[in-house]
Amino acid sequence: MRAPDDLTASVGPRAQRVRTRLMAAFVILLAAAIALTIVGWLGMQRTQRELSAYEGEVLPQIAQALELAERTTRLAATAPNLAESRTPESLDANATIARGLISEIRQRSGEIDGQSPLKARLDPLIDRGDINLLRLAELTQMRQQVRQRLQTQMERLEDIGSRLHARGTPPRHGDPVLTQVWSSLVLGASVDTPATLGRLQADVEALLIAADRRAAYAGLGDVFRATLRELSIGPAGILRLRSEQINLDGRSGSLVLLTRTNADELSAQVSRHVDTLRQTAQTRSEQVSRAIASGKTGLLLLTLVCGAIALGATAYVHRLVGGVERITAVMSRLARGDTSVATPATARRDELGALARTFEVFRDNLLAKQQLVADLRQQGELRAAVHSSMNDGLAVFDRDGRLRLWNEPLERMLAVHGVRPAAGQPPRQLMAQLSGGIAWSAPGLTERQTLAAGALPPFTAHAHVELYLPDNRVYDVRSRAMPDGGVVSLVTDLTERRAIEVQLQHALRLEMLGQLTGGVAHDFNNHLGTIVGTLGLLESQAGLDAAGRAQLQRAGRAAERASALTRRLLAFARRQPLQAEPVAVDAMVEEMVDLIDYSAGDAVQVALTLHAGDARVHLDRGQLENALLNLVINSAAAMPGGGRLEIATRVEGGELELRVTDTGSGIPEALREKVFEPFFTTKADGEGSGLGLSIVYGFVRQSGGRVALASRVGEGTSVTLRFALEAGSARPMPAAAPAIAADVPAASVLLVDDDDAFRHTVTEMLSSAGCRVHAVASAEQALHTLDQGLLPQLMLSDVRLGDGMGGVQLARTVATRWPQLRVALMSGMPLEAFASQADGGWPFLQKPFDAGALRHWLRGLQQP
């Protein structure tokens, strides 16, 4: 950088000469100015004489015309105020002002020369304006009266609205017809068009007729009805008063327009009078101009002399100031950041040269500083961009452990816990602002460590430290030491990632449980098929006494209950088709007693209070059973030491109510709004998924029902499900179709099933139905039998045949090689479980089945 100390050493004599020239120029200009002043003073005296004559003759007339124009303008502005008067007092005040203006206009008009044509034109206009203002005052008074009456009626209407919308009134007080009448009257009080008002009047009359027909006034009294009709269609009704108000407003507006038009005409007449005065003033002005022109000549001569002097001085000053302006322009451009222009006048040997050279030093220093600032700004922008683009929180602590730098993600993470980072805070202070109960873990540790109050996790001892906060948030903190002794920490929010991992584990457990349940249910159906079929065969034998038949029937009912249990297991595994159907809830609950008792546990006493009878709802039975079991399991979990669990049903208000009540620990009020949220649970980690009540809530809402929860801490919880009754649900449920005992036409059947007991049972049932049966245990044996030349009329095969070829593949092979052979399938799994594979349209028989169901199915195959 350069120093300006020696740049002004050689400018002394030159500076003295510049000052001398400037002083001489200023003295000459002063003498010329004095001469001009004298000549100008003489000319102004002559001009003053002419202007005095002008003021005495023309100006009074102009002032009179201006006053008249001002009064007409005020009169035009007073008319709208008069029309908009809201109270009698304001009406009287505005009317007084208007009459005063008319009087003043008459007075000013009287001062005009009587022979002037202006006076003859103004008098009719003034009289007409007086009449219009009088009529306008009368109309405004009528509008105030109508407005007052309308306000009174609106207050009465407000009282009626209060009665219609008051809380706790009987249901009929809120009849929608009366509410529509009230709303139409309220709307009518604010409409501005007669057409809309007419439509509202017709609507109100129609609604009043409808209210009389619906007996909508029941419980409101005759006075209420008479008042509402008076406000609606009476002579002083709201809509009639509003119509009269609109009419008066229109007439008032017309008078206001006429008054303004009349005032405009007055102004036009006054303007024409002013034009006449202007011509007179022009004549006087010409006289003044001639007086001024005589003084111009003397001033012109002196001006030429002064101009010559000024030109010489100006040339010198211009040259001097030009250098200053150029230097100033360069300084201004430099202040705006433009450093490309060089400093002028640095070669001059006077004051300007010294100034330019001094500025050049400052310019070089500023350029160096700007370059330094630009480099620092670029580095700061790069650092800010990196920090803002990070997903992790960043914190930088100096060697003394004080917070020096952080980014926005860290602020958002801490804001969730009500913590705001501040410069200079140590880590211990930040941790102290978080709520207690924080745990931490690190790689190599098998258990979480509880963080003592006021303590810090060992951030520097472990590369990764995970913090577990009481609100279930998880943060991963990674810390690294800096060369100067400070520490850089990165904080990652792992909460969502851990939640997704828990959800995935839960979904996998559910999938594995579903597969296990479906497989068990399928095998159980095979065993049930053997039991049901054998019982049917025994029951059909002759010579069975009454006791034996009763025993067989009791065993059959037990098998049917076991079959229903299997269906529920398949529904849980999502291998049973879930479709909406009429469900008798009481019967469903009674069938589920065994599952309910098992789910509740031995320590819980289960009580059924079923009062819905044969009432039915239209929904998915499997999902309703799962929802009920979820509620039972939650209630049992709330009573670890035992208690009472009640399942109650009833029909009320066209709805069926299913209520599950327990005497457990209850739910705190702060958690009641969260219990239906997915993955919300109060159980320890690994003991609950938090999906039970959310599944119940989603199923009920999708079925068009409602869920209500009531709970008291220490007393218990009650969850109520409400569903709309199915139309005609009072009629009894249709009884199961009786077994068809009619003979089945004789047929030859190839039976394929890998379960020996079930295969023998079905063989006996088919034989008892008159069929010739050839039974095999695998698909390979079936194909071998067909290859040997045996060609039956029907092949009935199980879908699952153990190792080797399955039933669906066997059906495809047989349909291809022996198309004349009819193929049918049977399975303990529903058809929907393998419908995508069984695409041949083959008949299907659901296990378990008895002899009657088998005969009925065979007869269906024989029908064309």
Side-chain angles (χ1 to χ4, degrees), residues 26 89 115 127-128 156 274-275 309 318 360 461 535 568 605-606 671 708 722 725 742 800 859:
F26 288 151
E89 292 77 8
Q115 302 300 323
D127 295 338
R128 193 186 311 159
R156 297 177 65 190
V274 170
D275 290 339
I309 298 172
H318 176 73
E360 182 70 12
L535 290 175
R568 286 194 290 273
Q605 179 186 357
V606 178
L671 301 180
R722 294 183 177 91
L725 289 175
R800 291 188 176 182
R859 288 180 60 86

Side-chain angles (χ1 to χ4, degrees), residues 463-545:
H464 294 269
V465 174
E466 290 190 0
L467 297 181
Y468 304 92
L469 274 67
D471 61 353
N472 294 326
R473 289 188 175 273
V474 181
Y475 293 126
D476 177 35
V477 182
R478 288 160 290 170
S479 301
R480 293 291 185 275
M482 294 189 299
D484 63 350
V487 176
V488 178
S489 295
L490 290 178
V491 183
T492 305
D493 190 346
L494 302 179
T495 305
E496 293 185 1
R497 185 187 306 173
R498 295 298 167 82
I500 293 174
E501 292 174 356
V502 172
Q503 296 174 20
L504 178 60
Q505 293 174 3
H506 179 74
L508 292 175
R509 286 198 299 268
L510 288 181
E511 177 64 21
M512 293 175 61
L513 182 58
Q515 293 178 0
L516 177 61
T517 303
V520 171
H522 169 265
D523 295 339
F524 197 49
N525 268 339
N526 280 337
H527 302 318
L528 282 177
T530 302
I531 295 172
V532 170
T534 303
L535 290 175
L537 292 174
L538 291 175
E539 190 175 1
S540 63
Q541 291 180 1
L544 188 64
D545 58 7

Side-chain angles (χ1 to χ4, degrees), residues 58-328:
V58 179
L59 289 183
Q61 296 184 19
I62 294 177
Q64 185 182 55
L66 291 177
E67 289 181 359
L68 188 60
E70 188 267 340
R71 298 301 189 280
T72 57
T73 302
R74 289 178 56 190
L75 180 63
T78 303
N81 295 335
L82 181 62
E84 295 299 327
S85 298
R86 295 290 181 178
T87 62
E89 292 77 8
S90 62
L91 176 61
D92 293 341
N94 290 325
T96 301
I97 294 173
R99 287 193 294 269
L101 290 174
I102 288 291
S103 177
E104 291 179 5
I105 292 174
R106 287 185 185 278
Q107 180 180 355
R108 297 295 184 273
S109 175
E111 295 174 358
I112 300 175
D113 186 5
Q115 302 300 323
S116 174
L118 175 63
K119 181 174 180 58
R121 292 193 296 268
L122 291 180
D123 288 343
L125 295 174
I126 295 172
D127 295 338
R128 193 186 311 159
D130 194 6
I131 294 173
N132 289 338
L133 287 174
L134 180 60
R135 292 173 60 193
L136 183 60
E138 294 175 353
L139 281 178
T140 304
Q141 185 176 13
M142 294 173 63
R143 289 172 61 205
Q144 289 180 353
Q145 294 173 356
V146 171
R147 186 183 301 111
Q148 183 63 32
R149 293 167 61 194
L150 181 59
Q151 182 177 0
T152 301
Q153 299 296 66
M154 288 301 295
E155 292 175 354
R156 297 177 65 190
L157 181 62
E158 185 177 354
D159 293 339
I160 289 177
S162 299
R163 292 190 61 187
L164 286 176
H165 299 93
R167 293 184 177 178
T169 55
R172 293 198 61 82
H173 289 191
D175 190 284
V177 174
L178 298 181
T179 303
Q180 292 181 18
V181 171
W182 179 83
S183 301
S184 299
L185 293 178
V186 172
L187 177 62
S190 60
V191 298
D192 296 328
T193 59
T196 305
L197 202 60
R199 288 194 297 272
L200 286 175
Q201 182 71 38
D203 293 342
V204 168
E205 292 175 358
L207 290 172
L208 289 174
I209 295 174
D212 290 335
R213 290 177 179 175
R214 291 164 57 101
Y217 303 100
L220 295 172
D222 295 336
V223 174
F224 179 91
R225 177 180 180 274
T227 302
L228 184 60
R229 293 183 65 85
E230 177 186 350
L231 294 177
S232 302
I233 59 176
I238 290 176
L239 300 181
R240 293 181 184 275
L241 290 176
R242 180 57 182 166
S243 177
E244 183 177 353
Q245 189 179 33
I246 293 174
N247 183 29
L248 291 175
D249 289 345
R251 293 171 59 189
S252 177
S254 299
L255 282 178
V256 169
L257 181 61
L258 289 175
T259 303
R260 292 179 66 92
T261 303
N262 194 67
D264 293 341
E265 181 62 24
L266 281 172
S267 298
Q269 295 296 336
V270 171
S271 298
R272 285 192 285 271
H273 181 62
V274 170
D275 290 339
T276 303
L277 294 176
R278 186 181 296 111
Q279 294 177 358
T280 303
Q282 184 176 2
T283 302
R284 294 293 186 183
S285 178
E286 291 175 355
Q287 296 175 357
V288 173
S289 298
R290 285 193 296 271
I292 293 175
S294 61
K296 284 184 178 179
T297 303
L299 290 175
L300 180 60
L301 294 175
L302 287 175
T303 300
L304 290 175
V305 174
C306 291
I309 298 172
L311 284 175
T314 300
Y316 180 76
V317 172
H318 176 73
R319 186 166 55 114
L320 186 65
V321 173
V324 176
E325 289 178 347
R326 288 191 294 273
I327 296 175
T328 303

Side-chain angles (χ1 to χ4, degrees), residues 386-406:
V386 171
H387 290 175
S388 61
S389 63
M390 296 173 61
N391 293 325
D392 298 337
L394 172 68
V396 179
F397 299 90
D398 60 16
R399 66 179 62 187
D400 297 326
R402 293 187 297 267
L403 181 63
R404 291 305 181 189
L405 178 66
W406 65 91

